[in-house]
Amino acid sequence: MSDSPSRFAVDRRQFLAATSAALVAGAVPATAAPAAPAAELVPSANAEPRSPVSSLRRIPIGVFDTVYDHLSIDQMLDKVTALGLEAMEMGTGGYNSTSHCPIDELIADRSKAKAWMKKFEDRGIRVATLSCHGNPVHPDPKHAQKDIESFRKTVLLAEMLDIKVIVGFSGCPGGTPTDTMPNWACYRWPSEFARMLDWQWKEKVIPYWKDAAKLARDHGVKRIALEMHPNFVVYNPRTLMMLREAVGEEIGANCDLSHLFWQGCDPVEVIHYLGKQGAIFHAHMKDTSFYPENVNKYGVLNFAFDKNDLDTASENFRAVGYGHGATLWKSIIKAYMDVGFEGILSIENEDPILPGEVGVERAAYVLKNVRAELLGS
């Protein structure tokens, strides 16, 4: 794709004015769509023949459970089943809630862990990944140790339940041995920043992840999917591959394109680049919307997380299909299929305009329809 973010962007005022009408019409749940006239349901004698069934892999569509933190596990599963979703990503610590996955209880009692897993299996839902997004190289030893322990417990639960992928962040250390807060550097000049980056990677990041990868490998987990995220040392495909080359093939990507859109990455190029190296283990489904008048004034490092800040925002997270159109998302899903991606498409909703379950429902509708088009079904 050669399209820049601004090509897909819409004017902010037009966008917000249309949220309650045009956008809803563009991504309403299938149950709300008007029925086709009876005549349209009967193929004519001159109709074109159906395309042959696609040989592309049907990638499961799932959801990250944190959006349902206000619900019990059974209530959540009712919602997920009603949406026709097929898989789940479950939070097990770090910055994530463990409200649906009481990890200490589960790893202490194998029978409880099996009973927990059976709740999903009885619904035909696959627990595909365990997620402990944290900062295990945080300069505060208490913070770091908490997240190190979360990762260790997650590895043990993954081994117990035969879950093959663990999702997380690379983390970010301080800039010197005496720092008490993380220091995110991504530019090597002035020279003190180059020294800081070299120290972070050599002394903190690579040693930790070598140990973590060995722990995972020793327990049968060979896929650690790191989300490329600002404020952590792995924030784009290049830094991901730097860590993978230094640590080993257990390191791969949680490919959350919402963080890469605003960095100017071409999503299809990213998927092909990482996928051809077997380095995509998981995929978050989340979109980003740009507001050109503010991008032009403030640049892209001007993100909004709250609806009240949209007037001055350059961009914000959106549900799939509300930042970039279905045509682009079709190209994205096709790219995942083309590279033989073996994970799931995990909806993560952080949309301030379509919050919570509403955003998940809209994203699921777009993804299911795009997938159906690609598979010819």
Side-chain angles (χ1 to χ4, degrees):
M1 270 181 13
S2 60
D3 303 85
S4 66
S6 60
R7 176 173 175 178
F8 295 105
V10 296
D11 180 87
R12 174 176 49 82
R13 288 181 291 275
Q14 293 174 339
F15 179 81
L16 294 176
T19 298
S20 62
L23 286 179
V24 173
V28 292
T31 54
E40 293 182 11
L41 301 178
V42 181
S44 71
N46 296 322
E48 293 184 9
R50 277 183 176 271
S51 298
V53 176
S54 172
S55 61
L56 296 172
R57 176 178 178 266
R58 186 177 188 272
I59 303 174
I61 298 170
V63 62
F64 192 5
D65 79 303
T66 53
V67 75
Y68 298 112
D69 278 348
H70 59 295
L71 300 177
S72 70
I73 187 170
D74 292 317
Q75 291 170 328
M76 174 187 73
L77 289 172
D78 285 342
K79 296 276 188 181
V80 173
T81 302
L83 288 174
L85 299 179
E86 303 137 337
M88 293 213 65
E89 171 184 356
M90 301 299 297
T92 57
Y95 298 113
N96 305 321
S97 164
T98 59
S99 61
H100 300 129
C101 183
I103 188 165
D104 290 329
E105 182 180 326
L106 298 183
I107 62 175
D109 188 332
R110 183 176 293 272
S111 65
K112 287 184 178 180
K114 295 294 185 183
W116 178 84
M117 193 71 155
K118 191 172 186 300
K119 286 180 177 286
F120 298 87
E121 293 170 347
D122 287 348
R123 306 278 193 137
I125 295 171
R126 169 187 164 202
V127 179
T129 61
L130 301 178
S131 291
C132 54
H133 294 78
N135 187 353
V137 293
H138 196 289
D140 179 342
K142 290 182 179 178
H143 187 137
Q145 189 55 45
K146 175 179 68 70
D147 290 342
I148 290 169
E149 184 65 6
S150 288
F151 181 82
R152 186 188 71 82
K153 291 177 181 178
T154 300
V155 167
L156 295 180
L157 185 61
E159 178 184 34
M160 186 180 293
L161 298 176
D162 196 29
I163 295 170
K164 301 300 186 184
V165 180
I166 292 175
V167 183
F169 292 136
S170 61
C172 183
T176 72
T178 58
D179 284 358
T180 59
M181 293 295 288
N183 195 329
W184 184 45
C186 55
Y187 197 72
R188 295 184 65 84
W189 192 88
S191 59
E192 56 265 33
F193 288 92
R195 292 194 298 271
M196 179 170 69
L197 275 165
D198 292 341
W199 179 84
Q200 287 179 325
W201 280 76
K202 181 180 178 181
E203 301 297 331
K204 294 295 180 180
V205 178
I206 292 173
Y208 169 75
W209 281 109
K210 281 187 173 179
D211 289 344
K214 182 180 185 304
L215 172 71
R217 185 168 59 247
D218 289 347
H219 289 274
V221 178
K222 299 179 181 179
R223 295 190 168 198
I224 302 170
L226 298 181
E227 185 167 340
M228 297 169 281
H229 194 291
N231 283 331
F232 297 109
V233 294
V234 168
Y235 58 90
N236 64 11
R238 180 172 179 270
T239 49
L240 177 83
M241 292 307 297
M242 285 171 56
L243 189 60
R244 181 178 168 92
E245 289 162 8
V247 171
E249 292 187 353
E250 289 82 12
I251 300 297
N254 167 25
C255 198
D256 187 333
L257 295 172
S258 68
H259 304 302
L260 303 182
F261 283 130
W262 68 263
Q263 294 185 60
C265 294
D266 180 316
V268 173
E269 287 292 327
V270 166
I271 293 165
H272 280 281
Y273 167 65
L274 294 176
K276 287 175 181 177
Q277 301 176 78
I280 304 179
F281 298 157
H282 189 58
H284 273 174
M285 296 288 103
K286 190 162 88 243
D287 211 337
T288 303
S289 183
F290 292 85
Y291 306 120
E293 71 273 29
N294 287 335
V295 172
N296 292 341
K297 286 185 291 188
Y298 309 133
V300 295
L301 295 177
N302 179 44
F303 221 90
F305 296 91
D306 189 271
K307 190 173 181 178
N308 295 328
D309 297 328
L310 291 176
D311 281 348
T312 57
S314 296
E315 65 275 309
N316 64 282
F317 293 135
R318 295 306 318 266
V320 171
Y322 284 77
H324 299 83
T327 299
L328 178 63
W329 280 100
K330 185 175 180 180
S331 297
I332 289 168
I333 305 309
K334 175 66 161 51
Y336 280 122
M337 292 176 174
D338 285 342
V339 300
F341 173 56
E342 297 177 353
I344 69 168
L345 306 173
S346 181
I347 298 167
E348 182 189 31
N349 189 54
E350 295 178 340
D351 189 323
I353 301 171
L354 297 172
E357 298 172 36
V358 177
V360 173
E361 182 179 321
R362 303 288 173 80
Y365 178 73
V366 173
L367 291 171
K368 286 193 290 185
N369 278 278
V370 163
R371 184 181 66 180
E373 281 191 30
L374 288 167
L375 297 176
S377 60

